[in-house]
Amino acid sequence: MVFRSVYYKRIVKGSTVGFWDRKFSDHMFLFANMENVERAIEIYKKRMRLEYNLREIKVSISINKIVNKDIDELIKMMGLALTGRGIG
């Protein structure tokens, strides 16, 4: 399901896409300011996989409660945790 030419907060024009994938437990809605909504869904699914994998890594090295806003700080923290466990 695609709704084109909608506005987010009456400012940003884009498309709202509803999709469902068997890998996810629920349907998703995505707002994209791209013309190619299929590409937007593909990009979003890749991002979700990355976030899921990162969460799994953080849980496995017991740093799942640490929230880093900066990617450089997160990389340093993960490096320290992996080194401490003899993995890195």
Side-chain angles (χ1 to χ4, degrees), residues 13-68:
K13 184 178 179 181
S15 299
T16 300
V17 184
F19 65 97
W20 181 77
D21 190 319
R22 281 180 247 172
K23 297 174 191 168
F24 308 123
S25 60
D26 205 355
H27 55 278
M28 306 261 188
F29 288 96
L30 172 67
F31 179 83
N33 60 351
M34 299 172 60
E35 288 294 320
N36 187 343
V37 292
E38 289 79 18
R39 178 76 177 130
I41 292 171
E42 179 183 323
I43 291 169
Y44 189 73
K45 285 181 180 179
K46 286 181 181 180
R47 178 179 174 228
M48 287 182 62
R49 266 187 249 125
L50 284 171
E51 288 185 14
Y52 175 79
N53 291 337
L54 180 59
R55 183 172 47 246
E56 289 296 309
I57 290 169
K58 287 173 73 176
V59 167
S60 71
I61 58 177
S62 302
I63 63 169
N64 55 316
K65 301 294 182 198
I66 298 171
V67 178
N68 293 87

